[in-house]
Amino acid sequence: MAGKKKLVLDPSWCKGCGICVAFCPKQALELAEEKVRLKPDGQCVLCGQCELRCPDYAIWLEDLEE
Amino acid sequence: MPSDLIHKFMRIDHLPHIWCAGCGNGIIMRDVAVALQELIDDPDCRVSREKTVIVSGIGCSSRAAGYMDFNSIHTTHGRAIAFATGIKFARPDLEVIVLTGDGDCSAIGGNHLIHAARRNIGLTVIAFNNDIYGMTGGQYSPTTPTGDVATTAPYGNIDRPFDIAQLAAGAGASFTARGSAYHARETIELIKQGILHRGFSLVDVYSACPTYYGRKNHKGGAVEMLTWQRDNMVPASRYYAMSEEKRRDKILVGILTHNDFPEYTQQYAQLLERAREGK
Ligand SMILES: Cc1ncc(C[n+]2csc(CCOP(=O)(O)OP(=O)(O)O)c2C)c(N)n1
Ligand code: SF4
Ligand code: SF4
Ligand code: SF4
Ligand SMILES: [Mg+2]
């Protein structure tokens, strides 16, 4: 079994293309001043769609430290 | 610090890359990295990092060879497949992967493409197909659809486009497939199968150039272009479940041809053997 994951964002690598925002199945993401962020009430389900399509590797899932 | 994947397989001191916001190339380059990671991590698979070579030509897409942390060579425009042929011929034990653009592999390099396909030499060619010459500012390419505008076709392109996957298949490639920037998971699988296939493999991946193609053709920015791929391109499992009529205006994401033709460097090794034995 894969361990628990967490969502990680690096706005300094984000170019504000909006791809992750548009295709997040939970509409959990938004852009603020052309940088990605999790909405204050965003319900991320750790599906990994954003990581799969971010052209700039600015958003990804990481294993939670045990 | 980016994800483990990017850290491990890309030259992160060269990132973020120079591609425009929303350029499909970044997605496809990641697909290649994931495909390689999954093959390298599989103990039953012959693919290793040390024996993988990444070859590219010139274009926005061809910059990928510089970003990927493998044995790599960034060659001249149109000649990636020619260099790759030389590498494979000298060292048939290497996995030789060509990252190329629609212009690089089907305009100036079209001749190398068809002859490598005809010979069925064991290369894996990943075409980052954005329907335009991105790097030089938006001239039409052999895949620009009829009627679309480009800097060299301001009143609309009168050429009929190539379908790169069908072109390679027609020239004799034993593995041809089509992916897209939107269909990343499916494309990763197709790239893996292309690498594992022993003969010539070509994966035509629809990219997106919002800067010089999408916006100029009223096809929108990156989100609109990927939405188009989602709505008009259909993965094989669903595609073949559709009626023929419904399929007609959809584009398959999946394998087009998969044959077991003899591979060129193996044929050559056998020829040497025969010649040595004086037969
Ligand atoms: C011999 C030669 N001819 C022309 C050029 C100019 N040139 C550089 S990239 C390019 C086209 C690139 O198109 P494509 O392969 O589709 O790559 P993209 O930039 O769209 O990813 C051209 C014509 C060149 N560098 N060398
Ligand atoms: S992991 Fe899935 S749910 Fe979470 S932000 Fe990314 S796309 Fe949205
Ligand atoms: S897909 Fe990547 S670059 Fe684009 S907005 Fe999201 S995090 Fe930023
Ligand atoms: S010009 Fe087009 S292909 Fe080149 S980096 Fe920009 S979006 Fe990508
Ligand atoms: Mg191109």
Side-chain angles (χ1 to χ4, degrees):
Chain A
M1 269 294 289
K4 283 215 157 112
K5 304 259 181 198
K6 65 174 179 195
L7 182 74
V8 187
L9 295 88
D10 182 348
S12 73
W13 280 34
C14 171
K15 291 181 186 155
C17 70
I19 290 175
C20 60
V21 175
F23 299 110
C24 169
K26 292 288 164 190
Q27 282 94 46
L29 302 168
E30 63 184 7
L31 291 177
E33 290 170 21
E34 301 195 343
K35 297 286 179 192
V36 66
R37 70 178 185 199
L38 191 65
K39 285 181 185 170
D41 57 348
Q43 298 288 316
C44 170
V45 292
L46 305 171
C47 69
Q49 301 263 331
C50 49
E51 177 175 13
L52 211 49
R53 298 198 189 89
C54 171
D56 275 281
Y57 322 130
I59 185 165
W60 66 93
L61 299 180
E62 214 166 81
D63 288 335
L64 267 183
E65 314 276 332
E66 290 300 309
Chain B
M1 181 88 161
S3 70
D4 288 348
L5 172 87
I6 303 303
H7 204 258
K8 194 162 163 201
F9 290 115
M10 302 214 184
R11 298 179 173 128
I12 56 164
D13 46 329
H14 294 278
L15 294 176
H17 52 63
I18 68 154
W19 293 322
C20 309
C23 175
N25 292 345
I27 306 176
I28 304 170
M29 182 165 77
R30 182 178 179 281
D31 293 347
V32 176
V34 176
L36 281 166
Q37 176 180 46
E38 291 179 5
L39 294 175
I40 290 166
D41 286 353
D42 177 353
D44 299 327
C45 172
R46 67 169 194 267
V47 178
S48 72
R49 186 174 191 157
E50 294 67 35
K51 289 201 165 187
T52 298
V53 184
I54 295 186
V55 184
S56 74
I58 296 291
C60 292
S61 40
S62 289
R63 284 181 173 269
Y67 294 127
M68 296 196 69
D69 195 5
F70 284 84
N71 302 301
S72 62
I73 171 167
H74 192 173
T75 72
T76 58
H77 189 40
R79 312 300 172 215
I81 293 175
F83 279 88
T85 297
I87 295 167
K88 186 73 185 175
F89 219 77
R91 287 284 304 275
D93 58 314
L94 301 177
E95 306 300 330
V96 183
I97 300 172
V98 177
L99 307 182
T100 179
D102 43 312
D104 200 61
C105 77
S106 77
I108 187 170
N111 206 30
H112 301 299
L113 171 68
I114 58 174
H115 293 291
R118 178 174 63 83
R119 290 169 170 156
N120 196 36
I121 185 163
L123 312 176
T124 305
V125 177
I126 319 287
F128 291 48
N129 184 356
N130 60 5
D131 295 342
I132 205 83
Y133 291 176
M135 176 171 259
T136 44
Q139 297 81 3
Y140 66 84
S141 85
T143 61
T144 307
T146 310
D148 281 358
V149 296
T151 55
T152 43
Y155 303 105
N157 175 28
I158 60 169
D159 287 10
R160 291 186 304 154
F162 267 151
D163 176 323
I164 294 179
Q166 280 185 17
L167 173 69
S174 51
F175 180 96
T176 56
R178 190 181 300 112
S180 89
Y182 177 81
H183 297 91
R185 196 57 246 179
E186 291 85 351
T187 302
I188 291 165
E189 277 315 308
L190 294 168
I191 293 171
K192 282 170 70 176
Q193 290 188 53
I195 294 170
L196 288 177
H197 179 71
R198 295 278 187 180
F200 184 87
S201 313
L202 179 127
V203 188
D204 178 16
V205 189
Y206 284 26
S207 186
C209 172
T211 304
Y212 289 118
Y213 178 72
R215 292 194 185 94
K216 308 267 180 202
N217 278 294
H218 310 291
K219 297 185 183 185
V223 169
E224 290 75 17
M225 295 178 85
L226 263 61
T227 303
W228 184 92
Q229 294 176 357
R230 181 192 68 191
D231 297 341
N232 292 280
M233 302 182 74
V234 185
S237 52
R238 274 199 287 126
Y239 184 86
Y240 290 111
M242 288 161 68
S243 70
E244 244 172 71
E245 200 183 315
K246 283 200 169 147
R247 264 186 234 166
R248 210 162 293 150
D249 39 72
K250 300 289 181 207
I251 300 164
L252 168 70
V253 171
I255 296 172
L256 277 78
T257 52
H258 196 176
N259 299 300
D260 195 19
F261 303 143
E263 196 272 326
Y264 195 59
T265 61
Q266 287 175 3
Q267 295 277 96
Y268 188 68
Q270 286 167 17
L271 178 142
L272 286 184
E273 195 77 10
R274 282 203 309 275
R276 274 198 203 100
E277 288 166 6
K279 285 184 211 156

